Amino acid sequence: MKCASQTAALLILIALPAMAQDIAFSPDATLSCLEDRGGEDCIGLSAGACTETPDGYTTVGMGFCFGRERDWWDARLNAVYQALRAADQAEDTEMKDIGATVPEMAPALLDMQRAWIGYRDALCEYERTKWGGGTGQGPATAACQMHETARQTLLLEARLAEYEAR
């Protein structure tokens, strides 16, 4: 019996990527919102549009849609982190050059980002446990990761905008 259930689970896992390929995801709703008004209200709009499609409304589809928007935010997060780190490093160098004895920002940014990753992972693990092992735990975890990654992206983008406003 155990072998039969393992085989069934394996067949489902093999079928998931094929099912997900039929689901359409576009970041356009989120991008449009960010351009119009920005802010946290834009988080999840593209995933929401994706889940409104016939295949997106399944548990697998929801996980796929939230995961795709999470990946979109993660790429944006990585780009803004690199830009902010470069700006912080330049500021650190300038402070050293003038003899200022202030804490360095680039290492603090790195420490903050590493701590945030741990926080996000722990928070989303907690969210997953609230589903008691049910099928909703996958989409709930992906949605949590999407929201937290987006929030961190917006935070770092605001910090970078401070440099650009100077």
Side-chain angles (χ1 to χ4, degrees):
M1 186 64 148
K2 186 176 181 181
C3 186
S5 64
Q6 288 174 336
T7 301
L10 181 59
L11 291 174
I12 290 170
L13 288 174
I14 291 170
L16 290 181
M19 291 169 58
Q21 290 174 2
D22 294 336
I23 301 171
F25 174 84
S26 169
D28 291 348
T30 302
L31 276 170
S32 178
C33 177
L34 289 171
E35 290 170 5
D36 290 345
R37 64 181 187 268
E40 291 189 25
D41 291 345
C42 301
I43 301 170
L45 293 180
S46 294
C50 178
T51 62
E52 293 299 318
T53 65
D55 291 328
Y57 202 67
T58 65
T59 302
V60 171
M62 285 186 266
F64 172 82
C65 294
F66 291 128
R68 288 295 304 270
E69 186 168 335
R70 176 203 57 220
D71 293 347
W72 180 83
W73 281 107
D74 190 57
R76 193 172 169 122
L77 175 62
N78 289 328
V80 72
Y81 173 81
Q82 293 302 321
L84 183 58
R85 183 162 169 81
D88 282 349
Q89 288 171 330
E91 185 83 10
D92 290 343
T93 299
E94 184 178 328
M95 291 296 110
K96 282 182 189 175
D97 289 347
I98 64 171
T101 55
V102 296
E104 291 186 5
M105 294 187 299
L109 174 65
L110 176 63
D111 290 344
M112 181 271 304
Q113 192 66 9
R114 286 179 175 163
W116 170 79
I117 291 168
Y119 167 77
R120 178 206 56 203
D121 292 349
L123 176 65
C124 295
E125 174 62 18
Y126 175 65
E127 182 64 29
R128 185 188 70 75
T129 65
K130 292 171 30 179
W131 289 84
T135 58
Q137 70 183 354
T141 302
C144 176
Q145 292 170 344
M146 176 195 66
H147 279 278
E148 293 307 311
T149 302
R151 290 178 63 215
Q152 186 69 0
T153 301
L154 295 172
L155 173 77
L156 296 188
E157 287 177 345
R159 296 289 169 96
L160 185 60
E162 292 172 7
Y163 276 112
E164 294 169 351
R166 292 182 189 177

